[in-house]
Amino acid sequence: MAFGKNARGDSRKQSSSYCSTLTIVVFVALCLVGVWMMTSTSVVPTQNSDVSTQEENKAEVKHQVAETDSRQFEDNPGDLPEDAMKGDSNTNSNSNASEDEGNSDVQQNQKEPEQTNENKIEENQDEKPEDKKTESDDNSQKEVENDGDGKTDGGETKEGGDSDSEAGEMKKEDADSNAIKQAELEDTTGETKQDNKAEGQIEEKVEENQENKSGSENKTDNQDKNTKEVFPDGAQSEILKETTTQNGQWSTQADESKNEKQAQQSATSQGGYKWKVCNVTAGPDYIPCLDNWQAIRKLHSTKHYEHRERHCPEEGPTCLVPLPEGYRQPIEWPTSREKIWYNNIPHTKLAKVKGHQNWVKVSGEYLTFPGGGTQFKNGALHYIDFIQDSVSDIAWGKRTRVILDVGCGVASFGGFLFDRDVLTMSFAPKDEHEAQVQFALERGIPAISAVMGTKRLPYPGRVFDLVHCGKLLLELNRVLRPGGYFVWSATPVYQKLAEDVEIWTAMSALMKKMCWELVVIKNDTVNQVGAAIFRKPTSNECYEQRAENEPPLCKDSADANAAWNVPLEACMHKIPVDASERGSQWPEQWSARAEKVPYWLKSSQVGVYGKAAPEDFAADYEHWKRVVSKSYLNGMGISWSKVRNVMDMRSVYGGFAAALKDLNVWVMNVVPIDSPDTLPIIYERGMFGMYHDWCESFSTYPRSYDLLHADHIFSKIKKRCNLVSVIAEVDRILRPEGKLIVRDNVETISEVESMAKSMQWEIRLTFSKDKEGLLCVQKSVWRPTEVETVTAAIA
């Protein structure tokens, strides 16, 4: 009994010990769980705090990069005042503050290089798909931050003009590919980056739209863009990774409509622009200021060719000119000099009338140009050499660089003078000889539609080195440089018919009164023609010794440079004799004259950008050489082998054209009538151009130019006239797939971009910095379906 009792007691003791042990284990386990939970809750906020700090650091670094590395396209204020990028005014209240901010950021970056590199690595890691939490977060994050993948400065996707473009949908492999390219550039060119930063070479922030395009021509351009980074050297490669939101000039993609792609497919939904096709008598060849039949019908006389002069409508048309049926991309130079597509200019009248003179012939799907003309049936090159042999002092491409060809026909003379390094401004009226100037432009030869009727030509006085042909001698005397030559090759020179003899007698007598010296009359036995070559005097001595003041000398107050809508005047301007006056000396030989400051630019003069004129000129040239070499040639995906006809819509000193002088292009330099009159400087440099009012249409056929350059011109134009009609004129002038480069304030850039989108143009590149922006767009072949009848243009 006692044993049994003790056994029960031991059992109770064991049970109690077991329970105690179990309780302790459970308690310890609960404590451990509690400690683990407390530890977990204390760790998580710390991790979140770290992430937040990292994000702040990244944002700070991105801001620094945006301020220090956004100096693109080499518009260096150290070389030119800020006004060089903003127009003709000389003030900029924000420039000093922006520069100070940028300098402080550079110092901060130099103090913390390790942090910058670390954050760059984190930034690249953030772009990897596995780091994204949800699909919507992925899209939002990619839209706001992924600069290297073709997004724009505001995070806005820049799609092309094609309605089925998929550029807004960034593919995973594209993002990875761009990240790899950036990493490779950083690894191989880090030293260059630092050097370029130190020199302050980078000025503007850029991004490239890397969307795929259809068509063989588009593919070629796209391949150029992919094989050449937007900015191939080290410092520029960093631009591809900058934040898109720091500048605050552009909206982000998150703020844009989710239906952006569908909106771009609709030509009428962008910015409220609704385009229509022009219904006019001239059809695809419409020139608004020359086809204004409403004004032409009201003319009281046409004996002075008033009906061939400019008669612009009160408001520029806002409709788009149709394309010819079967239009194709123009044949590239120099093949285009020999043949063009018939469907692009389907006119045969000139081939029928002048076919025996080898002007133009129809050959299957081509129009061919054997190189002939009225005076050179057997080829222009022989005729050009014949003139050189007649007067060796002409010295094509050296002493004689810029010439005027009057009544040019199809401009074969000017086309073949390129082989002698000579620029020829050719002009002819838009008349019954169909498409003379249009043929020339399609061939890649400079020309405008004009006539010497009742108004002066749109050129300054004393600028052309040589004038070819011509009848209205007093106007040609105005534009011919003192000491320049006049080559008259016409039947009165070499034929003895009664009418020819009468004309020769009258013309030679007039030239003698004008003091033009007859240098030589020579016959070309090959072409069976002849040429009389005269020379304009270099002093006023002959004028003063004339027995009669006929033709009279112009008043001393008369301005020989006044040329916009100025009536012709039957007088001659005196020859400049002061050694410091323009026209008193012959320019430097080509090509030295392109770079040398004209002798008549005085240091006492203030240049367009506020410096002394010679310094202004030199700084402008250096500026555009950097812009062209660092950005335009390599950073925009432009295949320059396809570019031939170029127009600079606001040329100032002609620095942009001079920077392109070694390319196989020619540039029509336009000086707007409300800008400083710098056109004589452009001619002095061995280039050409004309005055123009951009509130009116240009005197050229549709589809004339491959590239238009608009440097701070649209913001000025819209103060005086409707910007929509100006963009419609740009569309008229530009060939399909042609490029438009715009530099202007961000407000204007945004307007132009919106209109370009509404016309289905491809947005190839855009950026902004300090309220300044750059835009590169490519015209498409899209035409609206609705039609607008322009009553003034119905014959």
Side-chain angles (χ1 to χ4, degrees):
M1 294 293 293
F3 177 81
K5 183 178 179 179
N6 290 337
R8 287 195 297 270
D10 291 339
S11 174
R12 286 195 296 269
K13 288 181 181 179
Q14 291 175 357
S15 175
S16 175
S17 175
Y18 174 79
C19 290
S20 298
T21 301
L22 181 62
T23 301
I24 292 171
V25 169
V26 171
F27 178 78
V28 170
L30 289 174
C31 288
L32 291 174
V33 170
V35 170
W36 176 80
M37 292 179 64
M38 292 176 63
T39 303
S40 298
T41 56
S42 66
V43 169
V44 170
T46 302
Q47 290 175 340
N48 290 338
S49 176
D50 290 343
V51 171
S52 176
T53 302
Q54 291 172 0
E55 292 297 326
E56 292 175 1
N57 289 341
K58 285 200 294 183
E60 180 181 358
V61 172
K62 288 182 180 181
H63 179 73
Q64 294 169 352
V65 171
E67 292 296 325
T68 60
D69 284 357
S70 62
R71 298 165 55 84
Q72 266 311 337
F73 285 89
E74 295 299 322
D75 296 352
N76 196 328
D79 293 326
L80 279 181
E82 199 70 19
D83 296 331
M85 297 179 289
K86 297 187 178 180
D88 297 336
S89 64
N90 296 325
T91 59
N92 181 9
S93 59
N94 296 326
S95 60
N96 292 335
S98 300
E99 290 177 3
D100 291 341
E101 183 180 354
N103 292 336
S104 64
D105 286 335
V106 171
Q107 294 173 359
Q108 181 67 22
N109 280 341
Q110 292 174 345
K111 291 179 181 178
E112 300 177 356
E114 295 180 2
Q115 178 184 358
T116 302
N117 292 336
E118 179 181 353
N119 284 326
K120 284 182 180 178
I121 294 173
E122 293 172 355
E123 192 174 349
N124 286 336
Q125 291 174 345
D126 288 344
E127 294 176 356
K128 295 180 180 179
E130 57 265 29
D131 291 340
K132 310 300 181 182
K133 292 182 174 55
T134 65
E135 183 175 355
S136 61
D137 289 342
D138 181 13
N139 292 336
S140 176
Q141 187 80 2
K142 196 182 297 183
E143 288 169 353
V144 175
E145 292 187 3
N146 195 352
D147 259 23
D149 295 338
K151 302 299 180 183
T152 67
D153 259 358
E156 179 183 352
T157 303
K158 300 299 173 189
E159 298 189 11
D162 295 337
S163 61
D164 60 349
S165 171
E166 297 293 331
E169 301 176 10
M170 178 58 63
K171 296 181 180 179
K172 173 182 175 182
E173 54 267 30
D174 292 338
D176 293 342
S177 174
N178 285 333
I180 293 171
K181 289 180 181 178
Q182 293 172 12
E184 289 175 349
L185 288 169
E186 290 172 357
D187 291 340
T188 58
T189 59
E191 182 176 351
T192 306
K193 294 177 186 178
Q194 297 301 325
D195 291 342
N196 284 351
K197 284 183 188 176
E199 294 172 4
Q201 294 278 318
I202 300 177
E203 213 176 285
E204 300 166 347
K205 191 173 85 152
V206 181
E207 298 165 351
E208 181 181 17
N209 178 14
Q210 299 190 13
E211 55 189 88
N212 295 327
K213 300 181 294 179
S214 62
S216 60
E217 298 293 332
N218 289 342
K219 288 179 181 177
T220 302
D221 278 355
N222 209 33
Q223 289 169 357
D224 291 341
K225 284 166 52 177
N226 291 334
T227 56
K228 297 179 181 178
E229 291 292 327
V230 177
F231 303 102
D233 58 19
Q236 293 169 331
S237 67
E238 291 187 1
I239 298 302
L240 295 176
K241 299 193 305 165
E242 292 181 39
T243 178
T244 62
T245 60
Q246 296 300 323
N247 287 335
Q249 305 300 336
W250 303 94
S251 59
T252 63
Q253 181 64 24
D255 295 333
E256 296 291 335
S257 169
K258 294 181 181 180
N259 297 321
E260 174 69 6
K261 179 181 174 182
Q262 288 77 8
Q264 289 199 19
Q265 291 176 351
S266 172
T268 61
S269 63
Q270 288 287 340
Y273 303 109
K274 187 172 183 179
W275 302 99
K276 297 181 180 180
V277 171
C278 300
N279 175 27
V280 293
T281 300
D285 299 335
Y286 178 43
I287 305 176
C289 288
L290 298 182
D291 294 317
N292 186 355
W293 291 101
Q294 189 176 62
I296 292 172
R297 282 192 289 265
K298 295 179 181 179
L299 293 174
H300 299 296
S301 173
T302 59
K303 65 179 181 179
H304 295 297
Y305 292 89
E306 293 91 337
H307 57 303
R308 305 299 184 194
E309 294 181 326
R310 291 170 58 84
H311 300 283
C312 299
E314 292 184 4
E315 293 185 5
T318 57
C319 53
L320 305 183
V321 177
L323 295 178
E325 186 176 352
Y327 179 84
R328 303 171 68 171
Q329 284 305 304
I331 296 171
E332 294 179 24
W333 180 270
T335 306
S336 61
R337 184 169 58 183
E338 319 298 335
K339 63 180 181 180
I340 61 175
W341 298 116
Y342 169 80
N343 284 341
N344 287 9
I345 309 178
H347 299 300
T348 60
K349 184 173 183 178
L350 202 59
K352 296 175 182 176
V353 174
K354 298 290 186 178
H356 65 288
Q357 295 179 347
N358 285 342
W359 279 30
V360 56
K361 295 181 179 295
V362 180
S363 179
E365 59 183 352
Y366 300 105
L367 291 167
T368 61
F369 301 86
T374 305
Q375 309 306 324
F376 36 93
K377 305 179 189 66
N378 294 300
L381 280 176
H382 170 79
Y383 176 74
I384 291 167
D385 291 336
F386 159 70
I387 294 174
Q388 171 77 71
D389 294 339
S390 301
V391 179
S392 59
D393 190 47
I394 286 177
W396 295 127
K398 294 181 181 178
R399 184 184 188 273
T400 300
R401 163 65 180 174
V402 186
I403 78 170
L404 179 67
D405 188 15
V406 184
C408 62
V410 295
S412 291
F413 180 60
F416 283 92
L417 273 169
F418 278 107
D419 292 352
R420 301 294 184 265
D421 223 1
V422 174
L423 276 180
T424 308
M425 174 75 78
S426 300
F427 76 89
K430 185 178 184 181
D431 59 11
E432 60 274 3
H433 289 129
E434 289 178 337
Q436 297 176 84
V437 167
Q438 192 175 20
F439 283 143
L441 290 163
E442 183 75 7
R443 297 171 68 190
I445 303 170
I448 66 167
S449 292
V451 63
M452 288 190 294
T454 66
K455 298 176 182 177
R456 289 181 177 180
L457 296 170
Y459 315 124
R462 307 184 302 272
V463 291
F464 288 101
D465 303 336
L466 182 145
V467 173
H468 180 253
C469 296
K471 293 181 180 179
L472 292 179
L473 296 183
L474 293 178
E475 174 63 359
L476 299 182
N477 182 74
R478 181 183 71 87
V479 299
L480 183 61
R481 192 183 297 278
Y485 291 96
F486 172 73
V487 179
W488 188 29
S489 179
T491 55
V493 175
Y494 56 87
Q495 289 188 0
K496 301 303 180 183
L497 299 177
E499 183 181 3
D500 292 323
V501 171
E502 183 180 353
I503 294 174
W504 167 257
T505 301
M507 289 286 285
S508 58
L510 176 57
M511 291 181 190
K512 186 175 181 179
K513 292 179 180 179
M514 292 170 58
C515 293
W516 284 13
E517 175 193 0
L518 176 59
V519 179
V520 68
I521 300 177
K522 191 171 181 179
N523 291 324
D524 178 6
T525 57
V526 175
N527 285 318
Q528 296 182 341
V529 298
I533 302 178
F534 298 81
R535 187 172 185 260
K536 182 177 177 177
T538 57
S539 72
N540 294 307
E541 184 179 354
C542 176
Y543 297 154
E544 296 166 353
Q545 294 176 352
R546 292 183 304 168
E548 297 180 0
N549 187 28
E550 184 65 33
L553 293 177
C554 300
K555 297 179 181 179
D556 292 340
S557 59
D559 186 358
N561 295 323
W564 187 251
N565 289 333
V566 174
L568 288 174
E569 193 173 6
C571 65
M572 298 185 299
H573 297 269
K574 289 183 178 179
I575 304 296
V577 293
D578 190 317
S580 63
E581 191 175 355
R582 181 176 68 84
S584 63
Q585 302 176 36
W586 197 264
E588 296 284 329
Q589 287 197 346
W590 179 261
S591 63
R593 66 192 277 187
E595 302 183 10
K596 188 171 181 179
V597 178
Y599 65 88
W600 41 268
L601 277 185
K602 304 177 181 66
S603 296
S604 59
Q605 293 176 273
V606 178
V608 174
Y609 303 123
K611 294 183 179 180
E615 298 175 22
D616 227 29
F617 174 93
D620 177 81
Y621 184 38
E622 293 301 317
H623 163 83
W624 285 113
K625 282 197 297 184
R626 285 194 306 274
V627 169
V628 168
S629 64
K630 298 290 185 182
S631 301
Y632 287 8
L633 297 185
N634 298 310
M636 292 190 175
I638 296 175
S639 179
W640 285 89
S641 64
K642 295 182 173 65
V643 176
R644 174 62 181 171
N645 303 355
V646 179
M647 176 185 287
D648 191 0
M649 298 177 68
R650 176 180 170 270
S651 298
V652 190
Y653 298 116
F656 170 66
L660 294 175
K661 67 182 177 63
D662 294 329
L663 297 184
N664 213 4
V665 303
W666 61 269
V667 181
M668 176 67 77
N669 293 283
V670 178
V671 172
I673 61 171
D674 58 344
S675 294
D677 185 6
T678 53
L679 192 52
I681 298 174
I682 292 171
Y683 277 92
E684 193 79 6
R685 303 182 74 174
M687 298 171 291
F688 58 32
M690 58 185 289
Y691 300 112
H692 185 59
D693 181 355
W694 281 114
C695 290
E696 301 176 358
S697 76
F698 197 78
S699 293
T700 191
Y701 283 85
R703 303 169 301 280
S704 294
Y705 288 87
D706 302 302
L707 186 145
L708 300 186
H709 185 250
D711 178 32
H712 291 85
I713 181 65
F714 291 138
S715 56
K716 296 184 66 177
I717 293 174
K718 69 179 185 179
K719 295 176 182 178
R720 299 193 301 115
C721 47
N722 184 3
L723 187 58
V724 176
S725 66
V726 177
I727 297 303
E729 174 66 2
V730 167
D731 175 88
R732 190 186 71 86
I733 293 174
L734 200 58
R735 290 171 172 172
E737 298 192 12
K739 313 299 189 298
L740 168 67
I741 300 174
V742 184
R743 307 171 74 89
D744 222 309
N745 60 56
V746 292
E747 178 187 358
T748 303
I749 290 285
S750 180
E751 289 183 66
V752 175
E753 181 181 359
S754 181
M755 282 186 267
K757 286 181 180 179
S758 70
M759 293 187 292
Q760 301 291 315
W761 289 18
E762 177 189 352
I763 312 300
R764 298 175 66 88
L765 179 151
T766 185
F767 81 93
S768 67
K769 176 185 181 292
D770 296 335
K771 298 184 179 180
E772 288 296 303
L774 184 144
L775 175 70
C776 180
V777 294
Q778 176 175 295
K779 178 180 173 179
S780 69
V781 296
W782 175 85
R783 297 287 90 175
T785 55
E786 295 187 56
V787 175
E788 176 184 337
T789 299
V790 182
T791 55
I794 302 296

